[in-house]
Amino acid sequence: MDPMIIMARLAPKVVGPLVRKLLVRPGPGAFLVGRPLRIARLVSFRGEQRTLGEREVRRIAAKLVERAVTPLPGATGPARERPVAPDEDRAVTDALSRTLWALGDLDTEIAQDARLEAGELARQLRRAAPDAARELTGDGAELHSVLVDTAALHILNHFTQLTGFVARTVVENRRTLGRIDDTVGALAARLPSRSAEDAAFEAQYALDTAVLHSHLTIFGLDLVHSPDSWPLDAAYLGLRCEPEPPAADRGGAPEPAVPAEHALSGLCRVLVRGVAGSGKTTLLQWLAVATARGELPPALRRALYGRVPFLLPVRRFAHHGLPSPGAFLAAVCYPGAEAQPPGWADRVLRAGRALLLIDGVDEAPEDRREALRRKLRDWTALYPGNVWIVTSRPSAVRADWLTADGFTELSLAPMSREDIAAFIQRWHRAAAQQAPDDMDRLPHYERTLLNAVRITRDLGRLATNPLMCGMICALHRDRRGYLPNGRKELYEAALSMLLERRDRERAMGTTDGIDLPRQPKIQLLQKLAHWMLVNGRSEMDREIAVDTLAQHLPAIPDAARQGDPEEIYRHLLNRTGLLREPAPGTVDFVHRTFQDFLAARATVQRHDFGLLLNHAHLSEWEDVIRMAVALARPDECAALLNGLLAPRPGIRAAEARHRKLLAAACVGHAAELDPEVRHRVRRFTRDMVRPSTVAGARALGWIGPIVLEMLPEPAEVSDDEAYLLAVTATSIADDMAIDYLAGLRKRTSPDVRAQLAGAWRRYDTARYAREIIAHLDPDELFFPVADTEELHALRELGGRPYLQIAGEFTVAELIDGIVPADGLVRLWLAYGLGASMAWLAAFPRLEELRISGRLPPVTGVPEGIRVVEL
C-alpha cells in the first residue's frame, strides 16, 4: 500500500467537511478565558451541545474509508489498486469509528499557542483507543493509521480557524493541507479522461518499460559465473547531484551534493551534467522504471506519479534529430510501437503527463546540438506541464546552455569516499550471491580493496564514478588482489580480462567454432571504434560493421581463416563483452569510454596524429586525445602536444585556448615526455590558469592535479582572485589540492572561507579537518557536515557555532555529536531529517534554523528559534 496514493484520494475539500461534523464551535470569547479549552468539550457527540451519536460517527468513518479505497478518475496501474481487500472495509471502518469516538475521552488542552501538533494528537487518539485496530491485517492497520493521521490534521486545522485563536502551527498545518491539495490537483490534471484504448496501451507500456529497463550492466560483473546484468533495484547506487550555479554566482556557503531524488524534487526542466561513467544513463533508467511502476521516493512522488516516461537516448537519432512524438517508441525500438493508438504520444504530451528523459546530448555531433536545443525550446513551449530531464558530458555544451529555456543545471557529483566504500561492499555482496568458486576469498578482496582506495592516491582518483569503480572491483578480484597503476594500464588490463579470460573463467567453450586470441580481437574492435570516431558516431549500422570487418580481415590472418565477416562480427558481439546491439540492425560499445580508448589505440597505431589535431577543439575528442597521449611513444607524444600548442588556421580564439588547456591536461597521462616539451606546455598555459569567472575557474579543474602546479601563489593575489583560485582547486578531487588550499585558509574573505568549508567531503576527512577546517575563521561561516566522521572531527575541534547538515543523520546522532550544545547558534538544514524539529530544544542558544529551498517546511520548531526558508 502506498500512503501517498491514499493521501491523494483524501482531498481536503472532501475530508474537511466530514471531520468538522465531529466538532462544535465554542461560544464567543471561549479562548479569552483564563484557562484553555479541552478537546473533550469541543466534540459534537459529548456534552451539552451533542448533535451526533455512535451511528453518525460510524457513518463518517465509513465515508472516509470509502474515499480512501476509491481510485481517482482516470487512475491506472498502482493508483487503481485497493489498499485493502473489499471484505476488510468494514473492519477498518469499525476501527476508525472507535478511534474517532475516543476524541471525547481526551483530556488534552487546546491552548492559544497550539503547542499540540497533528502527529501528537494522532498518537493520543491511538493511546485512547488501544484496541481499536487490534484485529486489522497489516494493510488494514496501515490504512487505519493514514486515516487517523489525516483526521488529526483536519481537527487541528479546524481549531486554528476559530475566532480569537492565535496559533503557532496554523501556517504549518495549512501548508500540509495545501501540499495534499496540490498533490491531488497534480494527479487529477495528469489523469484526464482517456479512451479505453489509450488507457489499455498505457498500462501495457508501463509494464514493458519496467521490464525492459529493470536491468543494467555493471562493468565487471560478468566473470566467474556472474550474471551479465544486475537488477536495477539492487544495482542502483544512490547518485548525488550538486547545483551548477550561474557563471556569475558567488558568495555564501555552497549547497552540498544531495541524493538525486532530492536535487530533482520540484524541478520540471533539468540539465544533468556528468563525466563518462558517472551514471547519467543509470539515473534516467532508474527514473523511467520507478515512474512506470509508480514506486517513486517521497521526494519525487508529487512531481512524477502518474506520468508516462519516455527514455530517449540521443545516440539512436543523433544524425536525424529528435523524432516526433508519434515516432518516440519506434525510434527507441520499443517492441510494441506499432500497437500504440494513433496520436497517443501527442495526447500524453499535450495533457502535460509525460516524463521526457533525453540521454546524452554529447552523443549528437557538435554541429547538430544547436538544432537539438532549438527543438527542446520549441517542445517545452508547445507541450507545457511535462517534466524534462536532459543529460550531457560537462564539456559538450556551454554553461547555461538551456538556462534561458527554464532549465536548472545540476552536476552528478563524484563519488565520495563513503560512496566508493558502499559501492565496493555492494559489488562484493552481489558477487557472493552467485556462489562462485572464490567465495571464501571475497571478504578478503573486499577488505583489501577498501583499504587500497583509501590509502592509494592514484587509485582513489580513478574510482570516482560507478564505471571505474566496477572495473576496479572486477580487476582486483580477477587478479587476486593485484591492481595495475594508471588509467591506461587499467584499461589494458580490462581488455585482457574481457577478451582473454572472460570465457575461460566462465567455463565457456568455442560454441561458434571461433577461437580468436586477444590481439586479433583488439585489432578488429579498434577498426569499428575508429570508424565511429572518424564518422562522429556512437553507434553504427550492422551492415557497416560487417563491411568494415570485411575490409580489414585479410590483414589479420588469425581471424580471416576462422570465419567470414558475418561470423567474426557475431563472435565479437557475443564473446567480447564490449559490443552490444541496442536495437535490431545497430551496434555500439557497452560504454563510450571503451570506444574512445580503442579509437585512440587505432589512431596511434595508424600514426594519424593529424586526425587528432584537426579535431582537438571538439569536446567529444578530448578523451580520445588524452588516451592517445598515454598510448603514444615519446616522440609521438611530444609531436602531439606541440601540435596542440601551435597556431592553426581557421581556429577561433576560444578553440585555441581549449587546445592549449587540453595539452596541459594531457601532460599527466604521458608515460615518458621530453622535459623541454613539458616546460613548453606549462609556459604556454601559465597565464591561462588565472581564471576571471566562476565558470572558467570551475572548468580549469578538468585539467586535473597538474593545474595545481600552474596556479599562482595564493599569497600574491587579491581576495577576488583568491576566491576563483579556491573554486579551481576545490574542483580537483585529489588530496594534492589540500596543500594548495592551505595557502588560502587564513583569508578573511567570506567567499573564500565558504568555498573551502564547502569542499570538505571531497577530501580525506581527518587531514582536511586538521589542515583546512581548523584554520578557517568561524565568524558567520557555516561548516558542512555530511557524515558522522565529519561531525566527530568538528567535535574534536571544539565545535562550531554555525553548522550545515549536508548528509543523512538521525536526530540522536546530531544531539550526541553537536558539542558543545550551548555553542550552536545557527543551523542550516540542507538535507531533510524527516522528523519534527522539537529536538532542537537541546540547543539552548540556537537562534536561527535555515531550510534549503528544496526541502518541505518543518514542524515542531521550539519557540524562540527563527526559521528562514532559503
Side-chain angles (χ1 to χ4, degrees):
M1 188 189 83
D2 188 339
M4 284 296 294
I5 296 175
I6 307 305
M7 294 294 286
R9 295 171 180 173
L10 298 172
K13 61 184 179 182
V14 175
V15 176
L18 287 173
V19 173
R20 284 197 294 273
K21 290 180 180 180
L22 301 170
L23 307 166
V24 297
R25 299 178 67 86
F31 280 108
L32 301 179
V33 297
R35 60 183 184 278
L37 294 178
R38 300 184 186 280
I39 289 181
R41 294 181 55 195
L42 300 177
V43 298
S44 56
F45 44 87
R46 296 286 178 91
E48 298 176 357
Q49 303 184 57
R50 181 183 217 173
T51 58
L52 301 182
E54 283 191 65
R55 180 179 301 177
E56 289 77 17
V57 172
R58 192 182 189 286
R59 285 176 184 165
I60 292 172
K63 288 181 180 180
L64 290 171
V65 173
E66 181 183 6
R67 293 293 304 181
V69 301
T70 303
L72 294 172
T76 61
R80 286 202 60 81
E81 296 175 1
R82 289 180 59 90
V84 295
D87 58 1
E88 287 192 83
D89 289 0
R90 183 187 183 99
V92 176
T93 297
D94 290 342
L96 181 61
S97 65
R98 288 197 293 271
T99 304
L100 294 177
W101 188 261
L103 271 170
D105 298 326
L106 293 185
D107 196 36
T108 304
E109 296 177 344
I110 296 295
Q112 285 188 343
D113 62 0
R115 291 187 181 90
L116 182 64
E117 297 173 358
E120 177 57 28
L121 175 57
R123 285 189 287 274
Q124 292 192 21
L125 279 172
R126 294 187 186 97
R127 287 197 295 269
D131 297 328
R134 180 164 294 175
E135 302 300 323
L136 296 180
T137 64
D139 285 340
E142 189 170 358
L143 175 59
H144 171 266
S145 179
V146 171
L147 288 167
V148 172
D149 290 342
T150 304
L153 180 63
H154 283 275
I155 289 167
L156 284 189
N157 187 63
H158 169 75
F159 293 142
T160 63
Q161 296 174 14
L162 299 177
T163 303
F165 187 85
V166 182
R168 281 185 62 248
T169 57
V170 61
V171 175
E172 295 169 1
N173 286 337
R174 288 181 177 170
R175 277 178 181 159
T176 304
L177 287 168
R179 289 198 300 275
I180 297 172
D181 246 339
D182 289 346
T183 301
V184 175
L187 288 173
R190 265 176 239 146
L191 299 171
S193 13
R194 294 166 293 162
S195 69
E197 187 181 19
D198 278 7
F201 177 78
E202 216 163 281
Q204 185 61 50
Y205 175 69
L207 291 172
D208 291 344
T209 298
V211 170
L212 290 170
H213 299 293
S214 63
H215 282 70
L216 55 87
T217 298
I218 298 292
F219 182 82
L221 281 181
D222 57 353
L223 295 173
V224 195
H225 309 295
S226 295
D228 290 324
S229 63
W230 239 359
L232 186 62
D233 293 341
Y236 178 70
L237 179 73
L239 300 171
R240 291 174 177 265
C241 289
E242 50 193 1
E244 279 280 333
D249 181 58
R250 60 178 295 174
E255 285 278 356
V258 296
E261 56 266 31
H262 292 291
L264 294 171
S265 178
L267 301 178
C268 292
R269 301 178 188 179
V270 188
L271 172 63
V272 179
R273 298 175 185 266
V275 299
S278 60
K280 301 184 295 294
T281 299
T282 301
L283 173 62
L284 297 195
Q285 190 174 332
W286 172 73
L287 287 169
V289 171
T291 302
R293 290 176 175 171
E295 298 174 355
L296 292 154
L300 295 177
R301 281 178 186 161
R302 180 174 179 271
L304 300 186
Y305 193 86
R307 292 191 179 275
V308 178
F310 294 99
L311 181 54
L312 304 173
V314 172
R315 64 166 54 191
R316 297 284 180 85
F317 36 81
H319 286 266
H320 305 290
L322 285 171
S324 62
F328 277 176
L329 303 189
V332 297
C333 301
Y334 169 62
E338 295 182 0
Q340 66 178 310
W344 167 75
D346 185 71
R347 287 192 291 276
V348 170
L349 266 70
R350 290 192 182 278
R353 298 196 296 119
L355 168 62
L356 284 303
L357 304 167
I358 301 172
D359 187 28
V361 168
D362 53 283
E363 302 279 10
E366 189 170 37
D367 58 357
R368 295 182 182 270
R369 289 176 198 159
E370 190 58 29
L372 178 60
R373 188 177 75 86
R374 288 195 299 270
K375 178 63 73 72
L376 286 172
R377 174 188 297 167
D378 293 343
W379 278 6
T380 52
L382 182 62
Y383 300 118
N386 297 292
V387 174
W388 305 76
I389 302 178
V390 182
T391 70
S392 175
R393 288 192 186 189
S395 57
V397 293
R398 68 179 185 275
D400 301 333
W401 189 60
L402 289 173
T403 302
D405 302 314
F407 280 74
T408 299
E409 293 197 1
L410 301 174
S411 287
L412 283 175
M415 293 170 68
S416 67
R417 294 169 188 270
E418 294 74 27
D419 295 334
I420 293 169
F423 186 100
I424 291 171
Q425 291 164 346
R426 186 176 296 187
W427 191 97
H428 285 84
R429 284 200 302 269
Q433 289 173 6
Q434 308 305 314
D437 294 338
D438 61 350
M439 169 78 85
D440 59 328
R441 295 196 59 80
L442 284 177
H444 170 71
Y445 293 153
E446 179 181 333
R447 288 193 302 272
T448 56
L449 185 54
L450 285 170
N451 189 56
V453 296
R454 183 176 59 83
I455 65 176
T456 307
R457 186 174 63 85
D458 287 342
L459 194 57
R461 285 171 50 195
L462 288 173
T464 56
N465 62 61
L467 175 78
M468 297 301 293
C469 242
M471 185 189 301
I472 288 169
C473 288
L475 284 170
H476 184 259
R477 175 188 179 188
D478 185 63
R479 296 187 164 213
R480 293 172 174 78
Y482 166 77
L483 277 173
N485 294 319
R487 189 176 297 269
K488 184 193 85 168
E489 291 76 13
L490 205 60
Y491 278 100
E492 294 282 9
L495 289 176
S496 173
M497 179 178 67
L498 286 172
L499 303 181
E500 194 171 26
R501 304 187 58 178
R502 181 175 185 261
D503 286 351
R504 185 170 74 245
E505 293 290 343
R506 301 183 74 183
M508 295 179 69
T510 57
T511 56
D512 55 8
I514 298 175
D515 186 14
L516 286 180
R518 170 176 171 268
Q519 195 56 39
K521 288 180 184 177
I522 291 179
Q523 293 298 121
L524 292 169
L525 290 168
Q526 286 178 187
K527 308 305 181 187
L528 301 181
H530 187 265
W531 185 94
M532 293 183 189
L533 176 70
V534 172
N535 289 277
R537 300 285 294 274
S538 54
E539 67 180 21
M540 61 197 303
D541 294 341
R542 193 178 196 274
E543 291 78 7
I544 295 177
V546 173
D547 183 61
T548 301
L549 294 175
Q551 295 175 34
H552 296 284
L553 271 178
I556 307 176
D558 277 348
R561 63 171 170 260
Q562 295 199 50
D564 60 30
E566 178 66 37
E567 292 170 331
I568 296 297
Y569 166 79
R570 197 178 306 116
H571 176 81
L572 294 175
L573 178 69
N574 296 329
R575 285 290 189 269
T576 65
L578 285 173
L579 294 180
R580 63 179 181 177
E581 286 189 344
T586 61
V587 62
D588 66 3
F589 284 86
V590 293
H591 201 280
R592 178 66 180 266
T593 302
F594 293 106
Q595 176 188 325
D596 289 345
F597 181 73
L598 288 166
R601 279 181 58 107
T603 305
V604 170
Q605 288 184 4
R606 295 162 63 104
H607 304 286
D608 201 354
F609 297 102
L611 175 70
L612 298 178
L613 292 173
N614 287 339
H615 296 84
H617 59 287
L618 301 177
S619 60
E620 59 265 36
W621 287 66
E622 291 169 358
D623 285 347
V624 177
I625 293 171
R626 286 205 271 188
M627 291 177 182
V629 168
L631 293 162
R633 293 179 300 187
D635 58 330
E636 297 168 336
C637 183
L640 183 53
L641 292 175
N642 283 326
L644 291 173
L645 299 176
R648 201 168 190 84
I651 296 295
R652 299 192 299 267
E655 293 171 340
R657 182 178 186 274
H658 178 88
R659 293 166 67 91
K660 291 182 175 65
L661 291 176
L662 179 58
C666 288
V667 166
H669 295 274
E672 182 180 346
L673 184 63
D674 184 342
E676 176 55 33
V677 176
R678 191 184 302 270
H679 177 72
R680 188 164 184 260
V681 171
R682 293 184 180 179
R683 187 172 70 250
F684 267 75
T685 54
R686 184 177 296 115
D687 292 338
M688 299 174 65
V689 291
R690 297 185 77 102
S692 58
T693 66
V694 174
R698 200 175 295 115
L700 281 176
W702 162 75
I703 296 177
I706 191 174
V707 78
L708 297 169
E709 303 173 26
M710 303 159 64
L711 295 175
E713 283 296 322
E716 300 172 359
V717 300
S718 66
D719 277 352
D720 285 342
E721 190 170 1
Y723 167 71
L724 297 174
L725 295 174
V727 171
T728 294
T730 56
S731 298
I732 301 168
D734 187 294
D735 283 349
M736 287 179 63
I738 298 177
D739 294 325
Y740 185 85
L741 294 172
L744 297 167
R745 66 192 183 188
K746 292 298 185 181
R747 293 271 176 167
T748 58
S749 163
D751 293 342
V752 175
R753 291 185 294 125
Q755 186 66 32
L756 296 186
W760 192 359
R761 71 179 296 271
R762 294 172 180 259
Y763 306 101
D764 178 77
T765 300
R767 183 183 172 197
Y768 199 83
R770 184 174 63 252
E771 299 187 25
I772 304 296
I773 298 295
H775 300 271
L776 296 177
D777 181 356
D779 184 44
E780 300 286 324
L781 177 62
F782 280 93
F783 289 82
V785 286
D787 54 46
T788 53
E789 188 178 359
E790 291 178 355
L791 194 61
H792 177 74
L794 276 188
R795 180 175 182 168
E796 292 296 308
L797 295 176
R800 291 295 185 270
Y802 291 13
L803 289 184
Q804 180 192 66
I805 305 303
E808 188 171 0
F809 290 93
T810 65
V811 168
E813 287 172 337
L814 292 176
I815 292 178
D816 180 63
I818 300 177
V819 175
D822 61 357
L824 184 63
V825 177
R826 293 186 183 177
L827 186 66
W828 177 352
L829 285 186
Y831 199 109
L833 298 180
S836 165
M837 294 294 107
W839 61 277
L840 294 178
F843 304 98
R845 292 185 56 215
L846 184 61
E847 301 172 353
E848 180 181 281
L849 175 65
R850 294 189 177 191
I851 308 296
S852 289
R854 60 175 168 268
L855 300 181
V858 295
T859 61
V861 180
E863 189 173 356
I865 299 176
R866 181 173 64 255
V867 177
V868 178
E869 295 184 3
L870 303 176

